[in-house]
Amino acid sequence: MTEPLCNRGLYSVILVDLPGFGQSSGRDLNQASWKRHAPEIVVAILSSFHIRKPVNVIATCAGGSATIVRTINRYPLWFRDRNLVFTNSVIGDFGESKVGDFENILTQFNIHIVVHWFPDQDHTHHCVAYKRWNKLRQSGFRHLQLIDFDPVKQTSQLVYPEVKVSNIGRCASKDKATVYQLSDEYIQQIINTLSQS
C-alpha cells in the first residue's frame, strides 16, 4: 500500500515496526511490550514527526489492529473525523474499561473503521474481534463497516494456495498459511476509504 498512497501525492506514509516484531533491534525482544506500551509508542512516533492533526491508519492483523484499537481508547483525538482501515483485525482484548466503551469513543469522536475480512475457518469462527465486528454490522452501527471478501472472486488475488510455516500458533492448519497479492481494485478501495476523511 505504501507506493500507491505516496504516488497519489496526498499522503505521507509512516510504517511502524512495533517492538519485538521484525527483530529490527538485532535481538528478539519480548512482544508483550507492545501490548503494554503500544499507544504511547504510536503517539511518540507521530509526535516525533511533528504531526499535530488527526491521522488515517491502515492496520493489519493482530499487532497493527490491536495497537490502533488501544490507541483509539487512550488517545482518540489523534483519529477524530478520520477513516481507518483494518484487515483481518484479530483482537482478543480491546483495552477498554467495559465492553462498549470503544464504540462510544468511535461515536463521540466521529471515527469510522472499515474492516476488510478475508475469511478462513480459524479467524471467522473463533476470533473475538470478528464476532464483535459482525454484531456491530448486524446492529447497523454506523461507525464500523465489516466487509467479508471472497479472495478468489473479489478484490484480492490468491498467489499461493498454501505456504509452509512453523510455529503459527493455535490455528487449525498448524503449518500452513495463505498468501494474497493485493489487487489494483482493492488498493483503490482503501485509497477511496481514506480519501473520504
Side-chain angles (χ1 to χ4, degrees):
M1 286 302 308
T2 305
E3 189 175 340
L5 287 169
C6 290
N7 286 345
R8 286 283 292 259
L10 300 173
Y11 300 99
S12 297
V13 178
I14 300 169
L15 301 173
V16 177
D17 183 8
L18 293 168
F21 291 82
Q23 298 182 356
S24 58
S25 66
R27 63 181 193 267
D28 188 13
L29 295 173
N30 179 0
Q31 287 186 1
S33 66
W34 70 263
K35 287 186 176 180
R36 290 190 302 273
H37 307 296
E40 287 71 29
I41 293 168
V42 170
V43 169
I45 291 169
L46 294 173
S47 298
S48 73
F49 284 98
H50 306 289
I51 296 170
R52 301 286 180 250
K53 58 184 183 177
V55 296
N56 293 313
V57 174
I58 300 172
T60 59
C61 206
S65 299
T67 294
I68 297 305
V69 164
R70 290 183 181 104
T71 307
I72 289 169
N73 280 326
R74 289 191 205 168
Y75 305 103
L77 285 172
W78 279 104
F79 311 100
R80 176 178 226 130
D81 300 322
R82 294 289 180 215
N83 289 336
L84 315 180
V85 177
F86 290 179
T87 302
N88 277 33
S89 51
V90 182
I91 304 167
D93 172 15
F94 278 67
E96 57 199 337
S97 299
K98 63 178 189 284
V99 175
D101 284 351
F102 180 66
E103 288 85 346
N104 291 336
I105 288 172
L106 295 182
T107 301
Q108 180 182 353
F109 292 90
N110 195 35
I111 301 167
H112 295 265
I113 298 175
V114 176
V115 180
H116 295 141
W117 202 273
F118 296 91
D120 61 51
Q121 91 181 52
D122 291 302
H123 293 117
T124 304
H125 297 296
H126 304 294
C127 178
V128 171
Y130 182 84
K131 291 176 183 178
R132 188 162 177 178
W133 304 144
N134 196 37
K135 186 176 178 181
L136 290 171
R137 171 171 58 184
Q138 291 171 352
S139 74
F141 182 67
R142 68 180 197 90
H143 289 274
L144 186 126
Q145 180 183 7
L146 173 62
I147 301 171
D148 289 304
F149 282 130
D150 178 336
V152 176
K153 296 178 184 173
Q154 288 183 293
T155 58
S156 182
Q157 301 164 358
L158 185 62
V159 179
Y160 306 103
E162 102 186 12
V163 176
K164 291 283 187 184
V165 294
S166 61
N167 301 321
I168 199 169
R170 297 175 298 193
C171 296
S173 54
K174 295 280 185 200
D175 59 351
K176 298 175 187 171
T178 304
V179 178
Y180 298 99
Q181 176 182 346
L182 300 180
S183 70
D184 292 339
E185 293 84 5
Y186 179 71
I187 291 170
Q188 191 58 50
Q189 267 188 307
I190 291 181
I191 291 172
N192 291 345
T193 299
L194 298 179
S195 298
Q196 294 169 7
S197 293

